[in-house]
């Protein structure tokens, strides 16, 4: 089974990723060296590129690309 735009229903987390408390992570791709703040929600189909930071209490919408840096 896959998401409507072709990404499989799985969570892929790279190396050296920090995920703080109370996060909800759905089918997405998180590249290496990312920092996910406290209470973040990452929706299905999102992709976080290498080294990005997601601030606490943020929501990453479905299918969104978060660029590196």
């Amino acid at each position: 089974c896959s998401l409507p735009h072709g990404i499989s229903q799985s969570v892929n987390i790279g190396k050296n990723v920090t995920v703080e408390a109370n996060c909800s992570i759905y089918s997405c791709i998180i590249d290496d060296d990312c920092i996910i703040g406290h209470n973040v929600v990452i929706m299905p189909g999102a992709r976080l590129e290498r080294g990005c930071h997601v601030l606490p209490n943020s929501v990453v919408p479905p299918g969104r690309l978060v660029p590196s840096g």
Side-chain angles (χ1 to χ4, degrees):
C1 192
S2 64
L3 297 172
H5 51 284
I7 296 175
S8 65
Q9 291 184 341
S10 65
V11 175
N12 296 319
I13 299 178
K15 297 178 183 177
N16 300 320
V17 173
T18 301
V19 179
E20 294 184 2
N22 297 324
C23 292
S24 296
I25 300 175
Y26 301 97
S27 302
C28 65
I29 299 171
I30 302 173
D31 287 340
D32 298 340
D33 304 317
C34 292
I35 299 174
I36 313 300
H38 175 79
N39 206 32
V40 168
V41 177
I42 302 175
M43 301 301 288
R47 169 141 187 180
L48 283 62
E49 290 185 338
R50 183 182 182 106
C52 74
H53 295 193
V54 181
L55 297 177
N57 302 308
S58 297
V59 176
V60 179
R64 179 65 51 97
L65 173 66
V66 179
S68 62

